[in-house]
């Protein structure tokens, strides 16, 4: 069973420029889900996806001319594994001097290799330069928590900060913060994100929620794990009947990772790149 400390993170790596799918390093999701009460055999209280955008993707056509594109990979949240991001980058770089017949051939290799690594079918979209101009930017909508003038004295996730008003009628609202920061589980390097929380249920205390989110500032976990921890803490502490948590993280090594988790029937969020991404 692969563990994060065995991954290429924090280690000197030789960059291969010929196709090498063996570079992908899957890590079981179960290892961290057990910490939030989702052990082996547990029914997941959410569904969702991890949306990866790869901006540094290049290969050679059959005449040796370099090609570039942007790839979007969507992996299901119920896949048994995540893929460690540096290994993902090393894998993508292994295409740099690899000759391929076209984007269809590239897409099929990506789909095949990444599905094997995640342990479930993934969806791959390739955007070529002629379509770069169609890509849009946008921000996550919602009431901005960051407007609140709060005093912070702790920087660890503290679920006890999460409270909801159960004495009044349920509400439906969307809350957003740009102040999410966590650290890589292995290297301790900072990860920056914007998080959106949609819910129906007792009204969540916004000040407590903002303090809770800021509490991730010195917390070491991968992006996907942080979002699932937020989801479970809000679900248990505030007891909404409907809940969705979506985070857009800034890129590292040409990759951004955007996890989304929900427990009610709703469409998958759009893949709009935010200003910081």
């Amino acid at each position: 069973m692969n563990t994060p400390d065995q991954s290429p993170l924090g280690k000197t790596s030789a960059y291969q420029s010929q196709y090498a799918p063996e570079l992908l390093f899957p890590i079981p999701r179960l290892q961290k889900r057990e910490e939030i009460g989702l052990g082996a055999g547990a029914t997941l209280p959410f569904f969702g996806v991890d949306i990866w955008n790869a901006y540094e993707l290049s290969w050679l056509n059959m005449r040796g001319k370099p090609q570039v594109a942007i790839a979007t990979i969507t992996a299901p949240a119920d896949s048994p594994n995540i893929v460690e991001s540096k290994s993902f980058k090393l894998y993508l770089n292994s295409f740099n001097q690899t000759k391929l017949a076209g984007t269809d051939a590239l897409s099929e290799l990506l789909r095949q290799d990444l599905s094997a690594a995640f342990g479930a079918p993934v969806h791959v979209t390739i955007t070529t330069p002629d379509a770069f101009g169609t890509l849009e930017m946008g921000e996550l909508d919602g009431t901005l928590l960051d407007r609140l003038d709060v005093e912070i004295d702790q920087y660890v996730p503290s679920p006890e900060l999460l409270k909801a008003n159960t004495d009044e009628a349920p509400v439906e609202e969307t809350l957003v913060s740009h102040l999410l920061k966590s650290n890589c589980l292995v290297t301790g390097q900072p990860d920056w994100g914007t998080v959106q929380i949609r819910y129906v249920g007792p009204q969540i205390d916004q000040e407590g929620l903002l303090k809770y989110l800021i509490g991730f500032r010195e917390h070491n976990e991968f992006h996907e794990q942080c979002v699932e921890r937020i989801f479970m803490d809000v679900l248990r502490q505030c007891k909404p009947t409907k809940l969705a948590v979506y985070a857009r993280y800034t890129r590292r090594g040409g990759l951004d990772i955007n996890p989304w988790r929900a427990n009610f029937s709703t469409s998958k969020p759009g893949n709009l790149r935010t200003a910081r991404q």
Side-chain angles (χ1 to χ4, degrees):
M1 180 180 292
N2 288 342
T3 59
D5 59 293
Q6 297 170 327
S7 78
L9 278 170
K11 303 179 179 72
T12 300
S13 303
Y15 282 78
Q16 298 191 42
S17 57
Q18 291 289 338
Y19 173 61
E22 66 274 11
L23 291 171
L24 290 167
F25 190 87
I27 298 173
R29 295 186 190 267
L30 181 61
Q31 293 175 357
K32 294 296 287 187
R33 283 180 174 169
E34 288 178 334
E35 292 183 13
I36 56 174
L38 301 176
T43 299
L44 293 179
F46 52 70
F47 59 90
V49 293
D50 299 326
I51 304 170
W52 295 67
N53 294 302
Y55 299 98
E56 299 174 6
L57 178 61
S58 186
W59 68 100
L60 305 179
N61 68 12
M62 298 308 291
R63 300 186 65 187
K65 181 181 177 182
Q67 310 291 299
V68 296
I70 297 172
T72 298
I73 297 96
T74 304
D78 60 358
S79 62
N81 304 319
I82 62 173
V83 173
E84 186 278 306
S85 60
K86 184 176 179 181
S87 79
F88 205 133
K89 174 187 176 181
L90 294 171
Y91 163 72
L92 292 176
N93 278 325
S94 78
F95 285 94
N96 289 349
Q97 294 299 117
T98 300
K99 290 184 177 181
L100 295 172
T103 55
D104 287 346
L106 171 66
S107 181
E108 179 56 26
L109 283 177
L110 292 173
R111 186 198 61 77
Q112 172 184 295
D113 297 338
L114 293 168
S115 294
F118 280 99
V122 304
H123 182 266
V124 176
T125 300
I126 303 294
T127 303
T128 52
D130 59 300
F132 283 174
T134 66
L135 299 178
E136 298 180 349
M137 296 180 62
E139 297 298 322
L140 298 180
D141 66 287
T143 300
L144 186 64
L145 294 172
D146 308 345
R147 75 190 191 283
L148 301 173
D149 185 19
V150 295
E151 183 174 349
I152 307 297
D153 57 7
Q154 59 183 9
Y155 298 97
V156 294
S158 302
E160 65 271 14
L161 292 170
L162 297 169
K163 297 178 175 61
N165 188 346
T166 58
D167 295 331
E168 297 183 1
V171 301
E172 179 176 357
E173 64 179 354
T174 301
L175 306 172
V176 65
S177 174
H178 302 295
L179 302 185
L180 180 62
K181 173 197 170 286
S182 54
N183 301 316
C184 173
L185 181 62
V186 177
T187 67
Q189 292 295 306
D191 296 319
W192 307 92
T194 293
V195 61
Q196 179 192 66
I197 297 173
R198 296 185 185 273
Y199 76 95
V200 174
Q203 187 161 37
I204 295 174
D205 175 68
Q206 294 184 11
E207 183 172 316
L209 177 58
L210 179 59
K211 288 181 177 181
Y212 166 79
L213 294 172
I214 292 173
F216 279 81
R217 197 166 181 85
E218 293 185 348
H219 181 69
N220 295 348
E221 243 177 0
F222 293 143
H223 304 19
E224 304 93 329
Q225 298 161 352
C226 287
V227 167
E228 292 185 359
R229 184 177 296 276
I230 293 169
F231 184 98
M232 293 305 300
D233 284 347
V234 172
L235 187 67
R236 287 173 176 146
Q237 297 293 118
C238 302
K239 297 179 171 52
T241 56
K242 296 181 179 180
L243 177 63
V245 179
Y246 183 34
R248 301 283 307 185
Y249 278 90
T250 59
R251 71 179 78 172
R252 183 187 294 173
L255 289 167
D256 65 42
I257 310 171
N258 310 281
W260 173 70
R261 303 291 184 269
N263 68 353
F264 65 100
S265 180
T266 182
S267 58
K268 185 180 73 175
N271 187 30
L272 287 179
R273 178 158 52 103
T274 67
R276 292 196 297 162
Q277 290 183 302

